[in-house]
Amino acid sequence: MIQIRDERTTDGDARERLLDTCFGEARFTKTCERLREGRLPAEGLALAAVGNGRLVGTVRLWHVAAGPDRPALMLGPIAVAPGLQGAGLGGRLMREALARAADLGHRAVILVGDAPYYARFGFSAAATGALWLPGPFERERLLGLDLVPGALAGAAGLVQATGRPAPLPDFAALLAAQAAHPLPLAA
């Protein structure tokens, strides 16, 4: 049985391996990755699907502005282990993520993805035509969903990251640890 739960800090390595398997290194070159870079996902909206003790699916939502003074969430990436693709787990992750976002009071979600797949969850390009991303993207793949009716009506402008910055490493502590336990020099 596969359980969907909040992502845990200990899921990080398994999540990265799953994303590498599903998307490869090209995922780091995508415009949406630039919006996520250095940010934390929205509180309560980083989900993990776990089966038989291993991470088999993931989805995260991120705070963005869909144009000036228009808060929204950006969904992505969503990934499912190759052996489970087509079995409905991606749909379960989507429905859970969107339900949680609505329950937390968020008004709209945008994403870059395949319109035929995401249409079944209510996403369309109808409200995103005047939005653009800070890098290359395919216009027909920029999709939006109103969690509150009309939330994206009139949305225009640049989509920008607004979420909490990820904490930076404590460089002083790293240097102190290195000084206390220096690495041996290669001969």
Side-chain angles (χ1 to χ4, degrees):
M1 182 166 135
I2 295 175
Q3 170 196 11
I4 296 175
R5 60 161 169 75
D6 288 323
E7 185 180 290
R8 298 176 184 155
T9 304
T10 56
D11 293 329
D13 290 341
R15 182 181 181 280
E16 289 302 310
R17 283 191 303 275
L18 176 61
L19 293 173
D20 285 344
T21 298
C22 292
F23 302 113
E25 290 294 314
R27 71 187 174 101
F28 295 109
T29 65
K30 295 185 178 192
T31 297
C32 288
E33 184 64 25
R34 301 290 69 78
L35 289 168
R36 296 186 286 263
E37 201 168 58
R39 303 283 175 170
L40 294 172
E43 188 72 32
L45 295 174
L47 306 180
V50 180
N52 296 324
R54 70 181 189 99
L55 188 124
V56 296
T58 181
V59 65
R60 286 178 166 182
L61 290 100
W62 309 79
H63 289 284
V64 295
D69 300 318
R70 191 179 299 263
L73 295 169
M74 176 160 276
L75 188 141
I78 182 169
V80 172
L84 295 172
Q85 291 174 3
L89 180 55
R92 283 182 56 204
L93 280 166
M94 282 293 296
R95 284 186 291 281
E96 180 70 19
L98 295 173
R100 287 185 184 202
D103 289 347
L104 290 168
H106 295 286
R107 300 176 50 81
V109 179
I110 59 175
L111 59 80
V112 176
D114 295 322
Y117 177 82
Y118 291 104
R120 66 177 137 162
F121 304 106
F123 285 88
S124 77
T128 61
L131 292 172
W132 69 89
L133 297 176
F137 70 101
E138 297 171 59
R139 166 68 47 207
E140 68 278 2
R141 293 173 53 83
L142 182 57
L143 309 174
L145 169 70
D146 288 337
L147 297 175
V148 173
L152 288 173
L158 181 65
V159 176
Q160 296 180 318
T162 60
R164 296 173 295 144
L168 295 174
D170 182 345
F171 291 111
L174 292 171
L175 290 172
Q178 174 60 32
H181 305 288
L183 294 174
L185 296 174

